[in-house]
Amino acid sequence: MYYLNREQLEKCLNFLPVLMGASEQMAQQWDGSLLRGLAQERILHLSIETVTDIGSLLIDGFLMRDASSYEDIVEILLGENVFPREIGEPLIELVKLRKPLVQDYTELDREGLHPLIRQLPALLKEFTSCVREFVRKELGE
């Protein structure tokens, strides 16, 4: 019997549209300013944390193997067919940004719009759909 914290999962999934909207707004209003650069970093960081939190909930809830890193969380979900490789590869690219955003923040280029900002809305929307479908299928709903 699986125990999936559905309440926490829904909180995380319901937060993704906020990040999608912020990403769209950031791409439309990009001006290269320091303030936009810092806001962009926060959007990326929250996207990473939300995706990996969802991944951890699925891994724990469906008794998948333990993850050894943030990237491994996405790899495990990819291996369990939670989403296809077309979603997995950009998610891995996103999660790889965690270290620079959290540890190497003094060295980041804040003047350019990160390419993932434009991709995030569609990527997170598809990720959400895949997660919901996976949960529905696994729980027989």
Side-chain angles (χ1 to χ4, degrees), residues 5-128:
N5 186 336
R6 297 286 293 266
E7 182 179 336
Q8 189 62 34
L9 180 65
E10 284 303 316
K11 281 183 183 179
C12 292
L13 288 170
N14 290 334
F15 185 64
L16 289 175
V18 172
L19 297 170
M20 292 178 224
S23 298
E24 288 172 349
Q25 201 172 358
M26 181 60 64
Q28 292 168 359
Q29 298 175 2
W30 182 254
D31 63 7
S33 69
L34 176 60
L35 185 59
R36 295 255 192 255
L38 292 169
Q40 170 181 235
E41 289 172 30
R42 188 62 176 154
I43 292 166
L44 291 166
H45 184 211
L46 286 173
S47 297
I48 294 163
E49 296 301 323
T50 307
V51 165
T52 56
D53 284 352
I54 290 167
S56 294
L57 288 165
L58 294 176
I59 288 168
D60 291 347
F62 293 109
L63 308 173
M64 299 174 190
R65 75 170 173 85
D66 288 336
S68 61
S69 67
Y70 286 90
E71 293 160 38
D72 198 31
I73 292 170
V74 178
E75 290 285 354
I76 290 168
L77 299 180
L78 189 56
E80 294 288 335
N81 299 311
V82 175
F83 41 75
R85 182 138 310 267
E86 306 83 68
I87 301 300
E89 288 176 4
L91 285 175
I92 290 168
E93 185 181 337
L94 174 68
V95 172
K96 283 182 178 180
L97 291 175
R98 188 176 190 283
K99 185 179 185 286
L101 288 169
V102 175
Q103 295 178 5
D104 303 328
Y105 53 87
T106 60
E107 300 168 23
L108 290 176
D109 171 19
R110 294 187 171 89
E111 293 178 8
L113 183 67
H114 195 283
L116 280 175
I117 286 291
R118 291 192 193 284
Q119 295 175 26
L120 271 179
L123 178 63
L124 296 178
K125 183 177 183 180
E126 188 64 29
F127 172 74
T128 301

